[in-house]
Amino acid sequence: MSDDAPAVGKGLFQSLTNFAATLVAIAHTRLDLLSTDLEEERVHVFSLLTLGLAALFFIGIGVVLTTILLVVAFWDTHRILVLLLLAGFFLTAGLVAGGVAIHKARTKPKLFSASLSELYKDRQQLGSRS
């Protein structure tokens, strides 16, 4: 009987070591996934900010050119056509950039959705074992 006691103690210690290693591996994976989620969110916010600023810039240029168009509207013949084309281009570019920014803001996935999904799967697997 004395031979069985050290083997049981060693098996319990090995099981606890394996359990701790598994917990550390799970925590590492989840933290890695969390950092990936944070990086994706940073890139999304930066692109949204860039598109918003581009929209404001192009709409501002379009407004200035439209104003110049109205002032010059009664001058010679071809100046109006050029200003009209430029104003139309900048206004269209601004509206497109604004539309893309609004679309990206509305279709953004939930923050940490991948991490939450993986944690939910872990919780279900641990719950099914007991």
Side-chain angles (χ1 to χ4, degrees):
M1 248 188 161
S2 63
D3 291 337
D4 290 338
V8 170
K10 188 175 182 182
L12 179 62
F13 181 72
Q14 184 66 34
S15 293
L16 288 174
T17 303
N18 288 342
F19 180 69
T22 302
L23 286 179
V24 168
I26 288 172
H28 179 266
T29 302
R30 298 307 167 245
L31 286 174
D32 189 38
L33 188 57
L34 182 66
S35 70
T36 301
D37 284 344
L38 283 174
E39 179 66 20
E40 286 177 0
E41 186 64 22
R42 185 187 66 82
V43 168
H44 178 75
V45 167
F46 181 74
S47 69
L48 196 59
L49 181 63
T50 302
L51 285 170
L53 289 174
L56 289 175
F57 172 76
F58 288 128
I59 288 174
I61 294 293
V63 167
V64 168
L65 289 175
T66 302
T67 303
I68 292 172
L69 176 67
L70 290 174
V71 171
V72 179
F74 297 103
W75 279 359
D76 295 46
T77 58
H78 295 293
R79 290 182 195 158
I80 296 171
L81 179 62
V82 170
L83 285 174
L84 180 64
L85 291 175
L86 288 173
F89 169 75
F90 282 114
L91 285 172
T92 302
L95 292 174
V96 167
V100 170
I102 289 170
H103 175 72
K104 285 188 80 144
R106 288 185 181 162
T107 60
K108 182 186 92 58
K110 183 178 177 183
L111 185 62
F112 304 129
S113 62
S115 295
L116 291 172
S117 171
E118 289 299 318
L119 286 173
Y120 180 73
K121 288 178 189 175
D122 290 344
R123 193 173 80 194
Q124 281 187 327
Q125 286 180 350
L126 289 174
S128 67
R129 289 183 184 175
S130 51

